[in-house]
Amino acid sequence: MNRKRIEVKLALPVVAPLLDVIKELADSLRKHLAAPPDLGDLDPDFRDAWVGELLSAQADALPLMLAMFADEFFREGVVAFDEDNAEIIVRACAAVRLRLRERDLKPLGDETLETGDVDLATLDEPLRKAFMCYLFLATVQELIIQHLDESILGG
């Protein structure tokens, strides 16, 4: 069977500093949901079980996303997506982006985040780094969705 694999060459000097932001957020996301659901008046046992399953899936996805940035990335600047990791990486990117949006990027507002229309020179260093990370992860998600067959993503 011919497996579809996409390799993307990234600029190591641009992406490497963003990895610190991603790793820090991934550590916090192992214990806290990126977007805790409003479960209202659900039975506490059911709520705990549901949140536990969501947290477990999120925690399992994050190391797989971080694995993209292992040895091959630091040697050659290449990350790879295939049918085994595509959906999980998309979900992990979404979790990190949600956390960035809630924790670091609130000052920019939703419209700015959606359009990406911001003068980077006006942002202080931590906000600029968080915003660049947010855009980078959005690009990773778009690459996966654009280049891998829908059947890989369960469509």
Side-chain angles (χ1 to χ4, degrees), residues 2-21:
N2 192 9
R3 298 175 77 86
K4 191 166 188 177
R5 176 179 163 97
I6 303 296
E7 292 184 355
V8 180
K9 180 112 171 128
L10 301 171
L12 190 59
V14 173
V15 176
L18 303 178
L19 295 180
D20 292 335
V21 175

Side-chain angles (χ1 to χ4, degrees), residues 58-106:
Q58 179 178 283
D60 290 347
L62 293 164
L64 293 172
M65 178 188 67
L66 290 171
M68 289 190 318
F69 304 103
D71 296 338
E72 184 178 10
F73 173 70
F74 284 102
R75 269 194 325 272
E76 301 171 24
V78 172
V79 295
F81 316 109
D82 61 32
E83 55 194 79
D84 294 331
N85 67 8
E87 184 177 359
I88 292 167
I89 291 170
V90 168
R91 283 190 273 131
C93 288
V96 174
R97 289 181 71 220
L98 283 168
R99 180 56 56 91
L100 277 168
R101 189 177 199 129
E102 290 303 311
R103 191 189 86 171
D104 300 300
L105 300 174
K106 276 209 183 274

